[in-house]
Amino acid sequence: MSTFEFTQAGSYILNCSTLLTELPVLDRAQAAKDAGFDRVEFWWPFDGDPTPQAAEVDAFIASLESAGVELAGLNFWAGNMAAGDRGMVSIPGSQADFAKNAEIVADIGRRTGCRAFNALYGLRVEDSTPEEQDAVALENLAVAARAVAGIGGTVLVEPVSGAEAYPLKTAADAAAVVDQVRAGGEGNIAVLADFFHMAVNGDDVAAAIESGAAGFGHIQIADAAGRGAPGTGQLPLREWIERSYALGYSGQIALEYKQDRETAFAWLGR
């Protein structure tokens, strides 16, 4: 059983792309530190650009270093999230940009120590068949895995809610993709178990934990309904976390909920 402390900010990774969003991206690491967090994660922080300028990358890394926080998770380029994109892994025609992005992601990992990299699968599109998209996804995920392998990185694949055209709805859906990539020879890939997305999609989260917790590459949490802080909904998050550790999960817990800065961390310490 882990000695994980559920009421201390420093026990968690803070997702700075769902929280502290009142602030500019480059101010969020310091705000996270000021709130008591030592580890942060970000979605791709460069406004949908797969290949940001070196100066932009340098500024992002400098914001982490100045704040004294560890980058514990980073997304690959996921398209234009604000416009509705949910990843580029399975999008035909994305391969060249995705490969360039993977190299930048790996370099950020090398410079920051980050080793967990989330690759959002992408939505189904009308001008390609699911089979064609899945073939593109396997190609891109293999490229991603090879890119971060040299720094000891792991590619993460997650189920997502709120987008009907996103094909990975359950932990089993994500695990099937992971298994296919591993069968192709790339072993550094794992399921990202986002308990909020899984629960909202109707997945049996407790059963998924029983069957797969030891192999989870990462866990993210938010409460449901509402995607707020733990305690704002009905999910047994502490129970699920404790069971995951009991069954062999050895990673960290990331807070990927949405709440205003004034109340976001009131539940900690209670």
Side-chain angles (χ1 to χ4, degrees):
M1 183 66 181
S2 170
T3 57
F4 190 88
E5 294 293 339
F6 295 93
T7 59
Q8 301 299 317
S11 300
Y12 295 94
I13 300 168
L14 184 68
N15 189 298
C16 291
S17 295
T18 60
L19 288 159
L20 305 177
T21 55
E22 301 92 335
L23 301 172
V25 168
L26 297 183
D27 292 343
R28 294 179 197 172
Q30 185 60 57
K33 184 69 172 181
D34 292 343
F37 296 90
D38 299 316
R39 293 164 294 181
V40 298
E41 64 182 19
F42 282 81
W43 298 350
W44 186 241
F46 302 107
D47 291 330
D49 183 355
T51 55
Q53 297 296 313
E56 296 177 86
V57 175
D58 290 346
F60 173 67
I61 293 174
S63 75
L64 302 169
E65 293 174 342
S66 175
V69 296
E70 172 191 348
L71 184 65
L74 180 68
N75 284 21
F76 290 90
W77 168 59
N80 187 339
M81 295 279 283
D85 288 339
R86 290 296 180 269
M88 300 302 292
V89 163
S90 66
I91 306 302
S94 68
Q95 293 94 319
D97 281 337
F98 191 85
K100 293 175 185 176
N101 176 255
E103 292 303 320
I104 296 172
V105 168
D107 185 59
I108 293 173
R110 178 185 60 78
R111 295 171 63 184
T112 63
C114 184
R115 297 295 181 262
F117 305 100
N118 186 16
L120 288 175
Y121 201 79
L123 306 176
R124 292 304 193 201
V125 296
E126 294 182 355
D127 55 354
S128 295
T129 67
E131 293 77 15
E132 289 169 340
Q133 285 196 254
D134 292 342
V136 170
L138 292 179
E139 179 182 343
N140 279 334
L141 288 170
V143 166
R146 288 193 292 269
V148 302
I151 61 168
T154 299
V155 175
L156 302 170
V157 179
E158 71 168 322
V160 167
S161 64
E164 184 58 34
Y166 191 93
L168 308 184
K169 299 290 199 299
T170 67
D173 294 336
V177 172
V178 167
D179 288 345
Q180 287 182 286
V181 176
R182 288 178 176 170
E186 311 302 334
N188 58 321
I189 185 167
V191 172
L192 191 166
D194 186 307
F195 292 162
F196 167 80
H197 287 310
M198 292 161 63
V200 169
N201 283 338
D203 200 1
D204 187 335
V205 180
I209 290 168
E210 291 298 317
S211 63
F216 290 163
H218 194 51
I219 291 175
Q220 293 175 332
I221 62 170
D223 216 334
R227 202 175 183 180
T232 60
Q234 304 300 318
L235 299 183
L237 294 170
R238 179 169 183 144
E239 176 184 324
W240 288 343
I241 292 168
E242 289 178 333
R243 187 60 180 157
S244 296
Y245 280 118
L247 291 170
Y249 177 65
S250 59
Q252 300 168 346
I253 307 297
L255 306 177
E256 201 195 31
Y257 60 87
K258 296 183 177 183
Q259 199 156 313
D260 66 273
R261 188 181 176 193
E262 295 302 315
T263 64
F265 311 121
W267 64 280
L268 289 165
R270 288 206 295 260

